[in-house]
Amino acid sequence: MLASRSWLSRPFRERSTQIFLGVLLAALAVVTLLNLIVPAGHPLHVSTYTVTLLGKYLSFALLAVALDLVWGYLGILSLGHGAFFALGGYAMGMYLMRQIGDRGVYGDPVLPDFMVFLDWDSLPWYWHGFDMAWFAFLMVLLAPGLLALVFGFLAFRSRVTGVYLSIITQALTFALMLAFFRNEMGFGGNNGLTDFKELLGFDLRSDATRLGLFLASGVALALGYVLCRAIVASKLGRVSVACRDAEARTRFIGYRVERVQLFVFVVSAMLAGVAGALYVPQVGIINPGEFSPIFSIEVVLWVALGGRGTLYGAVIGALVVNYAKTVFTGVMPEAWLFALGGLFVVVTVLLPKGVAGLLASLRRRRDDGAVETPAQGASS
Amino acid sequence: MRTIRSLVQGLLCLIVVSLAAPAALAAPDDDGRALLEALDVDSYAAKGEAVTAIADSGHPQSRAWLEALLDGKLQRQDDGGRFVVVLANRGRHWPVRDALTDEDLGEMSRRDLDRIGINNALRGQLQNTLALLDLHAPAVSARREAARDLLGEVSPSMVEPLNGLVENEADDEVRRLLTQAIAIQRLEQGDVGAVEALSGSLNTSVRSALSAAARSDDAALAKAATEALAGIEQKQKLNDGIQTLYFGLSLGSVLVLAAIGLAITFGVMGVINMAHGELIMLGAYTTWGMQQLLPGQPGLALVLSIPAGFLVAALAGIVIERSVIQFLKGRPLETLLATFGVSLILQQLVRTLISPLNRTVVSPEWMSGSLMINEGLSLTLNRLFVLGFALLVFAGLMLVMRRTRLGLEVRAVTQNRAMARSMGIRATRVDILTFALGSGVAGLAGVALSQLTNVGPNLGQNYIIDSFMVVVFGGVGNLWGTLVAGLSLGVINQVLEPWAGAVLAKILVLVFIILFIQKRPRGLFPQKGRAAEG
């Protein structure tokens, strides 16, 4: 018990974590105050719409942190993290669907609208239990976790790494997307799950619930960040970095590389699932589009832009890119894909360590003149 | 009342015609007119004789008249007595042309026209007569078509003339079909001997006639028919198998085309080019652009787009290599991300410059249609062409890699870059050329794909994951592996499709590859020796 406490409390002694948590909590508090106390119409007022938008960004940031854990500290570029995110989202979506009860368009007390529409006469077996919140929340963790466990077990055991792993993770999310598009799967086909009413008894359209979800996303991000920092700073984290930099050497020293990889991968997938579960009630829909390979690869860009292997860089990247996306798609939707594509090229060619790397090198230059420190883990 | 009125009208017409006709018609077609006059009577029996007369007359227009009569479009003017063929009977005014001279008469009011009516008996006679008329057509293909249409449609009254036709027919295929047509009729009358003539035929009419006979009360007939059906069933199964194989190979050839360029850039050079799909798209758009430049000549445009598509995609490839990839040497994951960015830019470029909507590329005439092997099996020509094209491209690429200076240098640089350079090979130049070659082949794939699917900004995206799967499945760095992997994945997909559905089949194939890579991480044909460590 004591050991585990010191393991978990270590991040709080790190300066970077203290700064990150300080900034995050302060931002949460400011947004809440501006939303609640400043009257609507005042230039400083933050509307509930903006709060929900920020909440969405925060859930994306958690997803980015999860990806950074495997890419930055384990050297595994997953192009399928959107799949874990979407699975968590679907688990939450199924709970929210069951909460609708008989208030759907067809008024069936048990079956969701799309099943009535498809003429199904009973719930498929995998929909049972999702009327209970605790079960659904457990599945938010277990569904992505199990998928990651099985997939990772097979992949790491046969030492599939590098580009190969990236490509098959992409194939995984692509296959899941195709599967979820099918009506026969029982997840609403291409319309997905939507028309949610309430979560744990709170009306999803009320301003208070939306603020609550925003705060929950912020807290989840903070906890996820601390968890990742704790893992990274632990002995396991050091072995994982060793796997990233020299997998064969770590194996020869005697570490069970595939176990480390599997553990970190599963934790990361569960975090992604939590992010998805927070995302769904805020945007009000989950559909197979979240499984699309493009979304997953976009997540990689957030991390790359922020700087991989820093965790806070992933958060910065997710917030910046998504804010840019909101602005661009509102002002000139045509230009967004140009900007996104350009960002991919610029970041990888000119900013291989991302914004965080840029900040770090600036700081170093200020601290000790022009002394070059050896790059660590820049290439993969 | 009506009869009196029409009688009066008829008389009037006769008078008018007899007065006007010699002056009005430059070359009076008296025979034709007489044939048509015979139709305009009240008795259906007389009309039937008139139809027979027309059919036997050999008049060049006879077919058009009978068809118009069948459709109720052969009509007569109230006043002028002219026979006209109505082209479209919608609204109040109908466009018509003269039945005898084929002259366009503009529009006439429907009130001025009288239809030459037919009844059901006459309709049946007309259908038979038309079918028999087709059997006299000079073109063999038209006669075959007509004979095929007759299967299951032979009425007892037609047996006699058909028997005569069979004896005089020169073409074996037509004779066979006619014999079968007559045999179906005999079978329906309960003739056991007819079964023999029908066995082995894959035609649906033949099969339905046989299954009807198999249910008949006559035990001998039922037994013979059942046996014949079983034989047909077996033949059909074989045909279905060949058909599935063909579709599978066709899908596989598309996969091979899409992946073979990637096998060069990814497999040989180790560059992950996520923009490969967009290079395919550029090739497809080149074909479309070529057809816009050469309107009305889709065949020529298609032939010209083969080199053009190669060049466009190869140039785009060079630009990508010089501007992005060369800076990311030895960092495959970064290359993957950067080229993904390039692919987004290219897609959006096409959306902005051309259109976000799909463009249709016309298939030239010699590529449309299908090759008929037998009644149960026909191979669509465009897929056959693409299959051949894929094999040709593969053979060409093998030649380049195995037999040319460039291929030698590429292999040298891949195996040991430093040593190759010290031997005087300009490695950077080889990089550019190899990437251009791989990209150009992607352009060729696009040209071929434009003949099979819609050309749109998302064309490439649909193939990129499949292409990577094919290369990984076949074994990176191995062109033969790509060929075998592409074709076999295509066939597996088609075999799974009937019982799993298209989407599920695709999912199953993806899962299969994911599992396969666990078992053999380096693909079907892994590289051995030093090259494997790279």
Side-chain angles (χ1 to χ4, degrees), chain A residues 71 77 79 151 154-155 158 160 163-164 166-168 170-172 174-175 178-179 182 293-294 297 300 334 337-338 340-342 344-345 348-349 352 378-380, chain B residues 266 272 274 324 327-328 331-334 336-338 340-342 344-345 348-349 351-352 461 465 468-469 472 476 503-504 506-507 510 514-515 517-518 521-522:
Chain A
W71 189 27
L77 176 55
L79 296 182
F151 182 82
L154 290 169
S158 45
V160 181
V163 179
Y164 286 86
S166 302
I167 290 173
I168 64 170
Q170 190 175 37
L172 174 78
F174 184 61
L178 293 178
R182 286 161 46 88
I294 295 210
I297 210 165
V300 174
E334 290 262 293
L337 277 184
F338 284 125
L340 187 67
F344 268 106
V345 177
T348 46
V349 175
S379 67
S380 39
Chain B
F266 176 41
I272 313 278
M274 292 298 275
V324 179
F327 302 112
L328 299 170
R331 286 153 57 192
L333 293 180
E334 271 88 346
L336 188 156
L337 294 180
F340 183 76
V342 173
L344 290 183
I345 294 175
Q348 189 58 37
L349 208 63
R351 265 190 214 115
T352 312
Q461 230 175 36
I465 292 182
F468 270 110
M469 288 291 122
V472 169
V476 175
V503 178
L504 199 58
K506 203 170 158 75
I507 297 170
L510 282 175
I514 291 175
L515 291 177
I517 291 176
Q518 321 287 344
R522 300 215 166 254

Side-chain angles (χ1 to χ4, degrees), chain B residues 71-89:
Chain B
D71 293 343
K73 287 182 176 171
L74 186 65
Q75 313 215 346
R76 191 165 194 187
Q77 241 176 326
D78 282 350
D79 47 354
R82 268 207 244 218
F83 288 92
V84 296
V85 174
V86 177
L87 300 177
N89 48 5

Side-chain angles (χ1 to χ4, degrees), chain A residues 281-292:
Chain A
Q282 304 195 59
V283 296
I285 185 169
I286 174 79
N287 63 26
E290 314 300 336
F291 281 109
S292 77

Side-chain angles (χ1 to χ4, degrees), chain A residues 302-374:
Chain A
W302 307 341
V303 178
L305 175 73
R308 58 184 277 229
T310 57
L311 293 181
Y312 64 87
V315 176
I316 297 174
L319 298 182
V320 168
V321 176
N322 281 298
Y323 178 69
K325 184 174 186 172
T326 307
V327 171
F328 265 104
T329 46
V331 181
M332 37 191 215
E334 290 262 293
W336 168 241
L337 277 184
F338 284 125
L340 187 67
L343 213 55
F344 268 106
V345 177
V346 169
V347 166
T348 46
V349 175
L350 301 178
L351 271 180
K353 288 189 203 165
V355 175
L358 202 67
L359 293 178
S361 71
L362 284 178
R363 200 175 328 127
R364 260 201 308 279
R365 199 166 296 164
R366 197 193 58 204
D367 287 350
D368 47 25
V371 178
E372 278 287 310
T373 40

Side-chain angles (χ1 to χ4, degrees), chain B residues 125-400:
Chain B
Q125 190 198 342
L126 274 169
Q127 278 160 351
N128 287 347
T129 312
L130 278 170
L132 288 174
L133 260 185
D134 289 333
L135 288 172
H136 288 290
V140 175
S141 59
R143 290 210 302 275
R144 285 184 185 172
E145 192 66 33
R148 199 166 291 128
D149 288 344
L150 269 180
L151 290 171
E153 305 290 333
V154 180
S155 57
S157 62
M158 286 170 73
V159 174
E160 201 53 40
L162 280 179
N163 272 328
L165 276 173
V166 172
E167 276 167 32
N168 298 328
E169 179 58 52
D171 184 62
D172 285 343
E173 173 75 6
V174 178
R175 210 159 43 228
R176 194 177 63 79
L177 286 167
L178 285 179
T179 318
Q180 283 180 1
I182 298 167
I184 291 180
Q185 203 270 332
R186 277 164 55 207
L187 190 69
E188 279 162 359
Q189 309 293 324
D191 183 353
V192 183
V195 172
E196 197 186 337
L198 294 176
S199 60
S201 166
L202 291 167
N203 190 284
T204 44
S205 308
V206 172
R207 285 163 68 187
S208 61
L210 278 174
S211 20
R215 286 191 302 271
S216 80
D217 301 330
D218 184 347
L221 179 67
K223 186 165 175 288
T226 314
E227 278 169 12
L229 267 180
I232 290 176
E233 213 54 51
Q234 206 160 12
K235 203 168 163 189
Q236 184 67 37
K237 264 198 193 127
L238 181 72
N239 271 334
D240 287 347
I242 295 175
Q243 187 94 28
T244 308
L245 187 70
Y246 173 69
F247 276 126
L249 285 178
S250 159
L251 180 66
S253 68
V254 170
L255 289 177
V256 168
L257 268 176
I260 196 94
L262 207 64
I264 306 256
T265 51
F266 176 41
V268 179
M269 284 177 76
V271 170
I272 313 278
N273 183 14
M274 292 298 275
H276 186 79
E278 277 58 43
L279 294 171
I280 296 177
M281 175 194 75
L282 283 184
Y285 270 101
T286 310
T287 318
W288 173 78
M290 225 27 152
Q291 289 196 344
Q292 301 306 108
L293 286 180
L294 297 168
Q297 287 172 296
L300 180 66
L302 187 66
V303 172
L304 285 181
S305 2
I306 293 176
F310 184 89
L311 282 181
V312 168
L315 282 177
I318 291 177
V319 172
I320 296 174
E321 209 276 340
R322 284 292 88 190
S323 60
V324 179
I325 292 172
Q326 66 157 329
F327 302 112
L328 299 170
K329 196 137 268 166
R331 286 153 57 192
L333 293 180
E334 271 88 346
T335 318
L336 188 156
L337 294 180
T339 48
F340 183 76
V342 173
S343 85
L344 290 183
I345 294 175
L346 283 175
Q347 269 177 39
Q348 189 58 37
L349 208 63
V350 168
R351 265 190 214 115
T352 312
L353 292 184
I354 299 176
S355 159
L357 302 176
N358 281 345
R359 299 275 155 216
T360 36
V361 172
V362 194
S363 281
E365 228 165 82
W366 41 267
M367 267 185 75
S368 39
S370 53
L371 187 68
M372 193 97 162
I373 306 287
N374 61 36
E375 273 150 280
L377 182 64
S378 60
L379 310 179
T380 40
L381 272 181
N382 54 354
R383 292 190 170 269
L384 205 61
F385 267 99
V386 170
L387 182 59
F389 185 68
L391 295 177
L392 222 76
V393 168
F394 177 79
L397 219 50
M398 276 317 259
L399 270 182
V400 169

Side-chain angles (χ1 to χ4, degrees), chain B residues 33-53:
Chain B
R33 171 155 288 272
L35 287 168
L36 286 176
E37 292 284 357
L39 273 178
D40 194 17
V41 288
D42 280 336
S43 147
Y44 284 114
K47 277 188 188 175
E49 281 164 26
V51 167
T52 316

Side-chain angles (χ1 to χ4, degrees), chain A residues 172-194:
Chain A
L172 174 78
T173 190
F174 184 61
L176 280 170
M177 178 178 78
L178 293 178
F180 273 73
F181 265 125
R182 286 161 46 88
N183 278 331
E184 296 84 348
M185 279 286 285
F187 294 107
N190 55 353
N191 293 323
L193 309 176
T194 186

